[in-house]
Amino acid sequence: MTIFFPLAQTENAAHQSHETLLPVDIYAKLHETIRAAADLNDRNQRVSVLAQQRTHRAVLIDGARGTGKSSILVNLETYLRSTDQKLLNRVHIFKPVDPTLLEDHDDLFLNVIVAAILSDETVRNEQIRDADGRHQLQNQLQSLGHALASMQSQREQQGLDKIRSFIGNQQLVEEVHKFFDAVRNLIGKDLLVLTIDDVDTSLNRAFENLEVVRRYLVTPCVLPIISGDQDLYYEVTWRDFHGRLLKDSNYRKGEAYDRAVALAIEYQRKILPLQYRLRTPSVPDYLQNDDILLICTEN
């Protein structure tokens, strides 16, 4: 497949045509992953118990700054529209969620994700059109809000109240699953594709944001696609573990480092499985690709 890339094109993440999208191999792999997730979810959509379906399948678009990770997320729908409209009709791809929108006083990236979903144009339009679906979604949103409030109140509570809060924390995972399922039913799709751009951008909360992916984005209703630098994720993770190991004592600092590194590797393997990691090509890779032709056009 020959790709004609216009040199005069202004700097813009969004492309109007799939013919100018450079990382076709990554798009093809994403296409395959989305189709498999949609088929699996379609077969199991009658199963409502999340515990029977919890699985880590977050896709990582790995690459350094400036390698086009954000562009891949932005143009994923454009690619599917040109290659597999039938699949696109079965899934809904949300615009990339920005972790930097997390307020200074907030400590849960999940709030940003829920807000982004509710502000999606398709979700808003379907709530206007479908009164029953809107009612079900609002009821589930209220249940999710109560579960969130219970979890966030754990620090101030003690005794039996704290135990009740921990029970609520366990229920929060199920409420998140039900929320995603209500959104999926409202817009009539088999799968929600949730794209998250650069979880590592806010370094002071990068690990906490990854924890949200680990805890709450394991529902079969959602396929998370995350962009970021794998090396930076690893750095943030082992440093967090290392700090926790040495929080109360500096005893055996060398062993603590080795253990933190080992824990970070296993943690990354769990939430970002190796088979779902896609590495973005570098500029030299594109220049050496004989299928990419540079053209000079005004538009």
Side-chain angles (χ1 to χ4, degrees):
M1 175 183 175
T2 301
I3 303 172
F4 297 95
F5 190 82
L7 290 175
Q9 177 175 289
T10 58
E11 184 175 353
N12 191 344
H15 288 237
Q16 298 300 319
S17 171
H18 73 283
E19 296 177 347
T20 61
L21 298 176
L22 296 179
V24 290
D25 290 340
I26 288 185
Y27 283 114
K29 292 176 181 176
L30 288 174
H31 180 189
E32 181 181 347
T33 302
I34 292 173
R35 181 174 57 193
D39 290 343
L40 179 63
N41 195 39
D42 182 55
R43 289 194 297 267
N44 293 339
Q45 59 183 339
R46 292 180 178 274
V47 181
S48 60
V49 181
L50 177 61
Q52 299 179 21
Q53 305 179 74
R54 283 177 63 95
T55 179
H56 294 277
R57 59 180 182 182
V59 178
L60 173 65
I61 309 297
D62 178 26
R65 300 292 181 188
T67 54
K69 303 185 301 296
S70 299
S71 180
I72 291 174
L73 299 183
V74 170
N75 294 288
L76 179 56
E77 185 172 348
T78 299
Y79 176 84
L80 287 183
R81 184 177 295 110
S82 65
T83 57
D84 196 342
Q85 182 64 49
K86 184 177 180 180
L87 175 62
L88 187 59
N89 292 339
R90 297 176 55 201
V91 306
H92 183 68
I93 303 174
F94 290 95
K95 293 180 180 179
V97 179
D98 184 0
T100 62
L101 295 177
L102 196 64
E103 298 292 342
D104 291 338
H105 62 272
D106 205 344
D107 62 352
L108 193 59
F109 180 43
L110 180 61
N111 294 335
V112 177
I113 294 175
V114 172
I117 290 176
L118 292 175
S119 61
D120 180 82
E121 182 178 1
T122 299
V123 175
R124 288 190 286 110
N125 289 340
E126 286 300 316
Q127 288 191 74
I128 296 174
R129 188 190 64 83
D130 185 354
D132 291 338
R134 180 181 68 248
H135 182 69
Q136 293 176 8
L137 178 59
Q138 292 300 322
N139 285 343
Q140 185 52 47
L141 182 62
Q142 187 175 26
S143 298
L144 176 59
H146 289 158
L148 276 169
S150 176
M151 186 204 72
Q152 293 172 333
S153 66
Q154 289 177 6
R155 300 168 187 167
E156 291 77 24
Q157 295 179 340
Q158 297 180 358
L160 288 177
D161 288 335
K162 194 173 187 67
I163 293 176
R164 294 189 186 99
S165 294
F166 277 119
I167 294 175
N169 193 9
Q170 297 296 320
Q171 294 173 340
L172 175 59
V173 177
E174 185 70 29
E175 295 299 338
V176 172
H177 163 66
K178 291 179 180 178
F179 169 76
F180 285 132
D181 192 44
V183 173
R184 184 191 64 145
N185 290 331
L186 173 69
I187 61 179
K189 303 293 183 179
D190 290 336
L191 181 72
L192 307 178
V193 179
L194 183 63
T195 60
I196 305 176
D197 193 14
D198 284 338
V199 174
D200 55 345
T201 300
S202 300
L203 288 179
N204 60 322
R205 293 180 178 172
F207 182 77
E208 286 75 11
N209 292 345
L210 285 174
E211 276 288 273
V212 169
V213 175
R214 181 185 69 84
R215 294 178 183 177
Y216 307 119
L217 301 186
V218 291
T219 167
C221 301
V222 174
L223 176 66
I225 302 179
I226 304 166
S227 71
D229 187 336
Q230 173 64 33
D231 292 336
L232 187 54
Y233 285 142
Y234 167 74
E235 185 81 8
V236 167
T237 304
W238 82 255
R239 286 184 179 275
D240 187 275
F241 287 146
H242 190 243
R244 294 172 189 269
L245 289 172
L246 297 179
K247 182 177 180 180
D248 298 323
S249 172
N250 287 330
Y251 181 62
R252 293 184 175 179
K253 294 178 64 174
E255 293 182 13
Y257 168 78
D258 293 338
R259 178 161 295 184
V261 168
L263 288 172
I265 293 174
E266 291 304 315
Y267 180 86
Q268 297 284 333
R269 285 176 178 171
K270 181 175 183 178
I271 66 171
L272 300 171
L274 295 174
Q275 66 270 29
Y276 296 138
R277 298 181 190 177
L278 306 176
R279 180 73 180 180
T280 55
S282 63
V283 173
D285 292 330
Y286 291 132
L287 295 176
Q288 295 170 13
N289 190 334
D290 294 334
D291 293 329
I292 299 177
L293 302 180
L294 305 180
I295 59 175
C296 294
T297 61
E298 294 298 327
N299 297 316

